[in-house]
Amino acid sequence: MKPSTEVLLKENLKLLKLSNVLRQLETFVRQAKESGTDYGEFLLGLTEMELQMRAENRLKRRVREAKFPLIKTLETFDYTAAPGLDLRLLRELETGDYIREHRNIILLGNSGTGKTHLAVALGICACQSGKNVRFYTAAGLINQLMEAQAALRLSQLERSLSRMDLLIIDEVGYVPFSEKGAQLFFQMVAASYERQSLVMTTNLEFSKWPEVFGSEQLTGALLDRLTHHCEILSMNAESYRFKESITKKKET
Ligand code: ADP
Ligand code: MG
């Protein structure tokens, strides 16, 4: 390629925002020359690479914006360590149909049984199918809602929550909510009803939820909406954390 052609071509690629083609142009041109690729195939290869890189970047952005506390996937989940888990249901959830249908998921089980792991893994699945996901702990979400209310920007936060396809709310039940916090949480659940999907994790049976929310009436109204279109994955088993630490101790 003549140097003047290269300069103009790079300028055009920049204007067309084909940044990946721009970056890999020289490699592609060299490889095409070496292997005698025809023009059609050359262009096809370049455009495929650009599309693939864009899809990868979109996924990375979605995962970053979801603010997962750590990355956990279904591939690294050991199903033999979760004997009570309904695998058929889990396979169905992997398809993400529940998000399209605005159904919720509740992961219920004692500490260390992989609730957060599965919630994150389902979130990553959703990111892969192009959904907007946001992860919160229940306490973190309530703090943000209360702060936003105090700063008179609650509706702004609620709008940004409503733009998510999937909200993950981890650890409902470890810490009781204040009255104000419980009300704000209820509002969030009510706003998501039949519009978005929630994945919630909890260590508490529903009968104990009034202890967290402080009011039977509010809990009733909340559970009514939350569980209307809902899958419950019961994960009670021996704690994986505990089992792992015991095995490590035995090994040392
Ligand atoms: P929970 O949220 O139920 O308290 P976590 O999801 O945080 O439990 O799990 C605790 C730790 O054990 C994490 O590091 C998680 O990846 C791991 N873990 C739990 N269950 C499994 C499992 N079935 N397969 C693989 N890792 C697991
Ligand atoms: Mg957890």
Side-chain angles (χ1 to χ4, degrees):
M1 198 169 6
K2 279 196 295 190
S4 58
T5 310
E6 190 174 334
V7 170
L8 287 172
L9 175 57
K10 286 187 168 171
E11 198 53 43
N12 288 353
L13 290 171
K14 234 182 257 172
L15 289 170
L16 288 165
K17 301 197 177 3
L18 293 168
S19 53
N20 299 300
V21 172
L22 178 64
R23 209 170 309 122
Q24 301 211 30
L25 183 67
E26 272 130 32
T27 320
F28 264 78
V29 170
R30 184 167 25 79
Q31 281 170 355
K33 264 190 201 151
E34 282 166 13
S35 58
T37 318
D38 72 39
Y39 298 131
E41 266 175 51
F42 171 73
L43 278 175
L44 179 65
L46 267 185
T47 49
E48 270 176 350
M49 183 275 297
E50 178 72 36
L51 287 171
Q52 194 191 331
M53 296 294 285
R54 283 186 188 189
E56 276 171 27
N57 289 336
R58 270 198 303 274
L59 174 61
K60 272 190 209 145
R61 197 189 62 235
R62 282 210 178 84
V63 170
R64 198 171 53 238
E65 286 174 356
K67 299 204 161 53
F68 297 115
L70 27 76
I71 298 300
K72 297 275 177 177
T73 60
L74 289 170
E75 286 74 43
T76 61
F77 192 79
D78 173 7
Y79 296 98
T80 60
L85 194 63
D86 182 346
L87 290 184
R88 187 205 53 80
L89 178 57
L90 189 61
R91 288 283 96 78
E92 193 207 309
L93 296 178
E94 267 177 63
T95 65
D97 284 350
Y98 72 98
I99 300 178
R100 209 163 25 79
E101 295 159 5
H102 311 309
R103 282 188 286 139
N104 300 328
I105 304 177
I106 295 176
L107 303 170
L108 173 68
N110 45 295
S111 181
T113 50
K115 299 184 297 297
T116 302
H117 187 134
L118 270 195
V120 170
L122 287 170
I124 288 175
C125 261
C127 289
Q128 281 164 342
S129 46
K131 305 290 184 196
N132 294 320
V133 181
R134 182 70 167 84
F135 182 104
Y136 288 98
T137 59
L141 175 59
I142 286 184
N143 275 345
Q144 289 210 12
L145 289 166
M146 298 221 293
E147 273 174 30
Q149 192 176 44
L152 304 179
R153 43 174 191 78
L154 181 59
S155 53
Q156 201 181 323
L157 176 57
E158 285 175 338
R159 255 199 315 280
S160 87
L161 292 176
S162 72
R163 278 196 287 270
M164 296 294 137
D165 301 296
L166 173 65
L167 287 170
I168 302 176
I169 302 157
D170 198 22
E171 299 186 345
V172 176
Y174 284 109
V175 189
F177 301 158
S178 66
E179 191 184 337
K180 191 78 238 163
Q183 277 166 12
L184 288 168
F185 193 84
F186 170 76
Q187 273 179 40
M188 183 280 301
V189 171
S192 73
Y193 177 63
E194 294 189 336
R195 289 165 180 266
Q196 296 167 279
S197 288
L198 304 177
V199 167
M200 270 192 206
T201 80
T202 182
N203 59 326
L204 286 188
E205 299 285 342
F206 294 141
S207 61
K208 298 215 175 104
W209 281 34
E211 293 166 26
V212 179
F213 291 94
S215 143
E216 291 271 356
Q217 208 186 357
L218 184 89
T219 311
L222 182 130
L223 282 176
D224 197 38
R225 285 159 179 78
L226 185 64
T227 59
H228 183 196
H229 311 288
C230 179
E231 307 294 346
I232 298 170
L233 274 176
S234 182
M235 319 206 18
N236 266 327
E238 202 180 337
S239 164
Y240 194 89
R241 276 193 206 103
F242 185 67
K243 230 177 352 199
E244 224 179 26
S245 65
I246 298 275
T247 329
K248 270 190 199 131
K249 269 188 204 124
K250 275 190 195 149
E251 280 165 5
T252 52

